[in-house]
């Protein structure tokens, strides 16, 4: 299997909106970046597939996604 990489800015360590995320939401965000990189044109999969890939309930994935959109870390 070929692995691809995506660029991640090392200044995220100094970004308050990233560093103030609760640990589960930070993990969700990083996993979303990986999924978007692997997906079609940088888009995330639908919420059902997103929840499955992150081993979350659909409701939890929706809540996390809403928090990331509100926080300006994911575009709608």
């Amino acid at each position: 299997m070929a692995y691809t990489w995506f660029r991640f800015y090392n200044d995220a360590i100094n970004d308050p909106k990233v560093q103030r995320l609760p640990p589960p939401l930070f993990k969700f965000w990083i996993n979303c970046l990986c999924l978007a990189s692997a997906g079609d044109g940088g888009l995330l999969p639908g919420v059902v597939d997103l929840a499955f890939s992150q081993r979350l309930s659909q409701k939890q994935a929706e809540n996390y996604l809403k928090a990331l959109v509100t926080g300006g870390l994911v575009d709608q």
Side-chain angles (χ1 to χ4, degrees), residues 14-31:
N14 296 313
D15 187 335
K17 62 184 178 181
V18 170
Q19 293 304 312
R20 290 183 179 136
L21 292 172
L25 190 53
F26 180 81
K27 177 183 175 186
F28 180 83
W29 178 62
I30 295 295
N31 287 340

Side-chain angles (χ1 to χ4, degrees), residues 33 35-45:
L33 296 177
L35 290 167
S37 173
D40 182 28
L43 299 176
L44 289 173

Side-chain angles (χ1 to χ4, degrees), residues 28 47-48 51 56-66:
F28 180 83
V47 72
V48 171
L56 298 169
S57 70
Q58 183 175 337
K59 185 65 176 168
Q60 187 64 64
E62 289 170 352
N63 289 340
Y64 281 172
L65 199 51
K66 186 182 293 185

